[in-house]
Amino acid sequence: MIDFKVEEDKCIECGLCKEDCPVGIIKLTPKASIALEKEKNCLKCQHCLAICPTAAISILGKKPEDSISCKAEVPSATAMSNHIKTRRSIRKFKAENIDPELIQKVMETASHAPTGHNDNAVLFSLIDNMEDMNLFRDAIYAAIKKAVEEKRLPRKYFSLASFQKVWEKTGMDIIFRNSPHLLIATAPEKDASPKVDSMITLTYFEFAANANGLGTLWNGMVTWVIEEIDPSVRDLIGIPKDHCIGYTLLFGKSAVKYARGIQSEGLHLNKISLKK
């Protein structure tokens, strides 16, 4: 049951919900309704709740008064452009735990990211404290060392062997950059687009994290270890066996402050025209 409800005294029969429904299951009789046999087609997108001008529609147990108004403050086009252009990959982090409430706030914001077929099944595997982060770091470096000793480290990842040796000899952490926190996004393999969904959601997390003064670093090396070098790491951190790994993001308080954005190497564009 999708629990589609209409407050009839608020419904003005404008038909906006019917027109905007992606699967066309809403009808007006004259108030909005969804036939029981049509409910299975609902994408759970909540467009009907969002578009109703009089806040008459509730669905999936969600009420319009609990949603953020589209009249609420949003960044201007210039502010958003500047936010993107001044973003930097952080490789020097402060040795400080972030307030768990802030991490929760940023993850909840990221949970609004779009997903294929509106599956909404992206799972965040989070390390939210430096103690666990140190243990995980040791596990990753140990997995790399073992793969080298057993001569099964793929050639394309030979650089990891060098990083492991540097870590073992000097304590310099090239892979994690001493980040205090880590987030891995995964989604069920059966979903329409699990890897893409995960990476889009991580991108939303990064934008929100940066807006809250946190530094971030996309990390392919941890992802390689989990996916191709030592799958047992999945069990160590509880990633479900039926999940596809999207990517890994390191985050924390930046130990550096940049004065300006960089200058892009240029836009690469393939402009399509199918007109004869």
Side-chain angles (χ1 to χ4, degrees):
M1 295 287 290
I2 61 175
D3 196 24
F4 181 84
K5 296 179 180 178
V6 176
E7 293 189 48
E8 295 196 358
D9 58 329
K10 290 184 178 180
C11 178
I12 57 175
E13 302 170 19
C14 62
L16 289 176
C17 57
K18 177 179 182 296
E19 294 171 11
D20 199 50
C21 178
V23 289
I25 60 174
I26 297 177
K27 61 180 181 179
L28 301 180
T29 57
K31 306 295 183 183
S33 65
I34 297 177
L36 188 61
E37 65 272 14
K38 297 287 187 179
E39 288 190 353
K40 65 180 181 298
N41 298 321
C42 177
L43 293 181
K44 300 179 174 62
C45 65
Q46 302 178 48
H47 277 11
C48 51
L49 177 150
I51 202 169
C52 181
T54 58
I57 294 176
S58 298
I59 191 170
L60 304 167
K62 304 180 187 301
K63 300 178 181 179
E65 58 265 28
D66 296 327
S67 293
I68 296 175
S69 170
C70 287
K71 295 180 181 179
E73 179 184 2
V74 296
S76 66
T78 299
M80 180 57 74
S81 177
N82 291 341
H83 181 60
I84 293 172
K85 291 177 180 179
T86 56
R87 171 223 165 264
R88 294 282 79 219
S89 292
I90 301 302
R91 294 181 174 84
K92 291 184 179 180
F93 293 92
K94 293 182 179 180
E96 297 179 25
N97 283 326
I98 297 171
D99 182 350
E101 290 186 4
L102 176 56
I103 297 177
Q104 182 68 23
K105 171 186 173 183
V106 176
M107 289 193 300
E108 288 178 356
T109 298
S111 71
H112 286 259
T115 56
H117 205 259
N118 202 40
D119 285 323
N120 289 320
V122 174
L123 171 69
F124 278 150
S125 292
L126 167 71
I127 296 181
D128 65 355
N129 65 87
M130 291 187 291
E131 182 179 0
D132 282 329
M133 193 67 183
N134 290 336
L135 294 172
F136 183 68
R137 181 183 292 108
D138 288 342
I140 291 294
Y141 279 116
I144 295 170
K145 183 177 182 178
K146 184 178 180 182
V148 172
E149 293 173 343
E150 295 177 353
K151 302 185 184 306
R152 54 178 177 80
L153 185 70
R155 178 173 293 276
K156 60 182 176 180
Y157 299 143
F158 273 9
S159 60
L160 295 179
S162 299
F163 299 156
Q164 188 279 323
K165 287 182 180 178
V166 170
W167 167 253
E168 188 172 57
K169 292 181 179 180
T170 71
M172 181 183 293
D173 181 18
I174 298 175
I175 294 179
F176 291 88
R177 301 289 177 171
N178 295 311
S179 61
H181 305 301
L182 170 148
L183 198 64
I184 300 175
T186 67
E189 293 179 351
K190 64 178 179 57
D191 285 0
S193 49
K195 184 173 283 289
V196 173
D197 291 350
S198 298
M199 295 185 73
I200 291 173
T201 304
L202 273 184
T203 301
Y204 270 54
F205 179 90
E206 180 180 51
F207 284 155
N210 294 165
N212 280 277
L214 303 180
T216 52
L217 178 65
W218 292 84
N219 193 295
M221 292 180 282
V222 173
T223 310
W224 300 338
V225 173
I226 299 174
E227 282 192 317
E228 301 184 52
I229 298 173
D230 189 353
S232 70
V233 176
R234 294 174 66 109
D235 297 329
L236 176 66
I237 55 178
I239 295 177
K241 294 185 183 299
D242 65 341
H243 272 222
C244 172
I245 296 175
Y247 223 74
T248 303
L249 192 73
L250 307 177
F251 68 100
K253 294 181 180 179
S254 175
V256 297
K257 186 176 179 61
Y258 293 96
R260 61 194 57 81
I262 64 164
Q263 298 175 38
S264 172
E265 292 298 320
L267 172 68
H268 303 284
L269 174 67
N270 173 26
K271 189 173 182 179
I272 299 171
S273 177
L274 302 180
K275 294 180 291 185
K276 294 182 179 179

